[in-house]
Amino acid sequence: MRILIAALIIALVGAFSPVLAADVPIMTKEELNEKLDSADVVVIDVRQGRDWSSSEFKIKGAVRGENGGIDSLMASLDKSKTYVLYCS
Amino acid sequence: MNRFMIIGGMACFWLFSPEALTLIGVSAGRGGYPAVSALLGWALIIAVCLSIMIVSSRLTAAGGEDSARFGGDEPLLLRVLLFAGIYGVAILASTGMLVTAGFAFNEIFFYRFPNFGFAALLLAGVVVLQQAPERVQYTIQYGATLTCAVGLLVLIVAGLMGERPVVESLQSPSGHGVLPYVTLVVVFLGFDQIALQADEGDGWPLLPVVFVGSSMVLAIWLLLSIQYVNGDRLADTSIPYLIAAREILGQAGRSIMGLIVIAGAFAASHGLFILARIYLTARYPSARTPVVRRGLPLIMGLVIGLLMVMGLAGSANLETYIRGTVLIWLSGAALAVLRGVRFLNQGNSVISVAGYVGGALMLVSVFFMASHASQPYLMGYYMGVIFVISAFCITLLEVMRKKSAS
């Protein structure tokens, strides 16, 4: 029984971990789809490692975030544009 | 328990894993048609090494003069290398493969279900199954491996019957040198431990046969990948199997490959958990307790779960770590083969020479792959850390064994 509970905890931690990021503004795929052709919108694919390499889907025109972290990324960006960060 | 089910489930779990399928696809893209010969060549070499391991381990298990001549315990260096390799791959490769399976489920079958959640559920399934009786474990292991084999065969038949598109191989596959061919040895990782499965029963000659048969299936898959997908696409992706399946059978091919990836990741992770347990219980009889049998997979599952939550799968370094542990395991397997040939003491026989050549080739391949690693310093540092930790664990286990013996 204890083992089953432990296994369940592993599953739940994994299954509901996206909830931890709930306070980050999220754009729906429909909203993004409407803006994809705009020159002022840049999609940054910040997925790394297997999160990126195992995924079959890559957004057309998206640029890949570098390894330097969000601070160095933000410092290099044109602040007049809208940036959409895409993670897994 | 049907020996064929045990052998089938254990001999092929790594061969049909997402890791092996990725390696085969990328090698197909980088190496072109010679990669087919390289894969079959490695399959034959490993089949000889596997047979040597089986015969030597059976003679050891039989006891008597031969067993005594084997020198009793294996050298400490070999024991540490295998411990580091098996446990390192079981934890790190499982982390990667389960996450890959999570993406396959999310992107192919049910996009509303979080990929990470599915990976965690799969991990929980592996841990729970490890609590079940061995008969149940091996039956499900066989079922998952068989699912992969049948799925691949369906795609192969469809690919052989379908019309090949016009594709281009890489303009200069030689730019990668012999690396695409050398790395194919990784497809056969774990054969040294699988050989130990043949200790009991009379079905052991099946093991090399199943091994070679499965390798031939993979060789045909490699061939079809070259014929259906451009070389540069295969070489530059980490999901070549999915691209090839889509080219062969469209959406249905994608779904079949999704099933293969999920079943393969489950079988490979569960198979590695079994090998980790066998490593311990075969060498340390005092570990053959229900507490160890149930507790070890739980601890391994918690470590993998923790690594997932910490985001290791999203780290670019994970591949380097996996490669490091794979190289450690392969070097241990090569030394085990050389030791097995020496034990059989057939200096002039063809098998013996083939065994020495096979073991030596594996060692050379390990050095070659290590010298061509993309992050050599990180990998070297990591391998050193893993080796030291493993040496500490083995020392601890040896002390405990001597204490319980005295």
Side-chain angles (χ1 to χ4, degrees):
Chain A
M1 190 61 192
R2 274 178 297 171
I3 285 160
L4 282 176
I5 290 169
L8 197 63
I9 289 170
I10 293 175
L12 290 178
V13 166
F16 296 105
S17 59
V19 174
L20 299 173
D23 57 340
V24 176
I26 291 174
M27 182 181 277
T28 66
K29 64 178 187 297
E30 288 79 15
E31 287 173 318
L32 177 61
N33 198 31
E34 284 174 14
K35 296 181 178 180
L36 267 182
D37 292 332
S38 168
D40 288 333
V41 174
V42 179
V43 180
I44 302 173
D45 194 335
V46 292
R47 294 177 298 174
Q48 301 285 331
R50 291 225 173 188
D51 288 347
W52 186 79
S53 64
S54 291
S55 174
E56 196 184 356
F57 299 133
K58 315 286 194 283
I59 296 176
K60 198 175 180 183
V63 293
R64 287 203 65 195
E66 298 299 323
N67 280 321
I70 197 72
D71 290 337
S72 63
L73 182 67
M74 284 176 71
S76 67
L77 298 177
D78 178 354
K79 291 185 172 49
S80 65
K81 292 189 174 181
T82 302
Y83 294 95
V84 181
L85 300 187
Y86 176 51
C87 62
S88 56
Chain B
M1 182 73 202
N2 187 332
R3 289 296 301 169
F4 184 79
M5 287 173 77
I6 294 178
I7 287 169
M10 293 304 291
C12 308
F13 72 74
W14 183 262
L15 288 171
F16 296 140
S17 68
E19 300 299 292
L21 291 177
T22 301
L23 196 64
I24 284 169
V26 172
S27 294
R30 291 180 178 171
Y33 285 105
V36 180
S37 312
L39 183 67
L40 289 173
W42 274 121
L44 286 177
I45 290 169
I46 298 297
V48 172
C49 294
L50 181 64
S51 304
I52 288 166
M53 291 293 290
I54 290 170
V55 175
S56 58
S57 66
R58 280 176 67 84
L59 284 175
T60 310
E65 194 184 330
D66 281 335
S67 180
R69 191 157 51 84
F70 201 35
D73 290 348
E74 63 194 342
L76 215 54
L77 172 68
L78 182 56
R79 192 165 285 205
V80 172
L81 285 175
L82 291 175
F83 181 90
I86 294 168
Y87 281 86
V89 172
I91 288 170
L92 294 168
S94 294
T95 304
M97 285 187 292
L98 292 171
V99 168
T100 299
F103 273 99
F105 184 75
N106 171 265
E107 295 184 350
I108 297 173
F109 298 112
F110 190 25
Y111 78 93
R112 286 188 184 278
F113 200 93
N115 48 48
F116 199 70
F118 186 77
L121 283 176
L122 220 51
L123 172 62
V126 170
V127 173
V128 169
L129 183 57
Q130 283 284 294
Q131 311 305 318
E134 283 194 0
R135 185 177 52 81
V136 178
Q137 288 178 25
Y138 283 117
T139 304
I140 292 179
Q141 177 73 14
Y142 176 68
T145 311
L146 190 65
T147 303
C148 298
V150 171
L152 263 183
L153 283 172
V154 169
L155 287 171
I156 283 172
V157 170
L160 290 172
M161 290 170 68
E163 194 176 327
R164 313 307 196 262
V166 179
V167 297
E168 294 172 3
S169 56
L170 266 187
Q171 291 301 309
S172 55
S174 57
H176 296 280
V178 295
L179 195 59
Y181 316 122
V182 170
T183 51
L184 280 170
V185 67
V186 177
V187 171
F188 304 99
L189 187 75
F191 74 89
D192 54 306
Q193 296 304 305
I194 293 160
L196 300 178
Q197 298 285 309
D199 275 358
E200 302 163 15
D202 298 322
W204 67 268
L206 266 178
L207 198 47
V209 175
V210 170
F211 217 72
V212 172
S214 305
S215 307
M216 290 178 78
V217 171
L218 290 177
I220 300 172
W221 175 250
L222 195 158
L223 185 70
L224 286 173
S225 299
I226 297 171
Q227 291 181 343
Y228 274 85
V229 187
N230 280 342
D232 54 354
R233 275 185 81 196
L234 286 173
D236 289 340
T237 180
S238 44
I239 46 170
Y241 45 83
L242 210 49
I243 295 172
R246 199 170 51 199
E247 292 296 329
I248 290 172
L249 215 52
Q251 182 58 32
R254 203 168 152 260
S255 298
I256 292 171
M257 187 48 82
L259 199 63
I260 294 170
V261 168
I262 292 168
F266 183 85
S269 303
H270 186 251
L272 286 167
F273 270 54
I274 292 178
L275 288 190
R277 186 183 69 216
I278 288 175
Y279 173 91
L280 203 62
T281 53
R283 289 163 178 84
Y284 301 98
S286 60
R288 291 175 195 158
T289 63
V291 175
V292 172
R293 196 180 82 81
R294 288 167 182 268
L296 182 65
L298 191 60
I299 292 168
M300 289 172 67
L302 285 171
V303 171
I304 293 171
L306 196 66
L307 292 177
M308 282 182 179
V309 172
M310 286 167 62
L312 183 66
S315 161
N317 293 339
L318 176 62
E319 305 307 323
T320 301
Y321 297 153
I322 292 176
R323 221 156 289 151
T325 47
V326 162
L327 293 186
I328 291 175
W329 191 347
L330 274 177
S331 57
L335 292 178
V337 169
L338 293 174
R339 182 168 175 262
V341 182
R342 204 170 149 218
F343 166 56
L344 293 177
N345 198 22
Q346 295 172 344
N348 296 321
S349 79
V350 177
I351 292 288
S352 182
V353 172
Y356 277 124
V357 171
L361 271 175
M362 284 172 64
L363 276 181
V364 171
S365 301
V366 167
F367 284 117
F368 190 79
M369 284 187 276
S371 64
H372 285 75
S374 56
Q375 295 175 293
Y377 295 112
L378 178 68
M379 196 170 84
Y381 172 75
Y382 166 75
M383 287 168 79
V385 169
I386 286 288
F387 186 85
V388 169
I389 292 172
S390 302
F392 175 75
C393 291
I394 290 295
T395 307
L396 213 61
L397 286 164
E398 288 294 326
V399 169
M400 285 165 66
R401 182 169 69 166
K402 278 174 186 163
K403 264 189 180 176
S404 65
S406 62

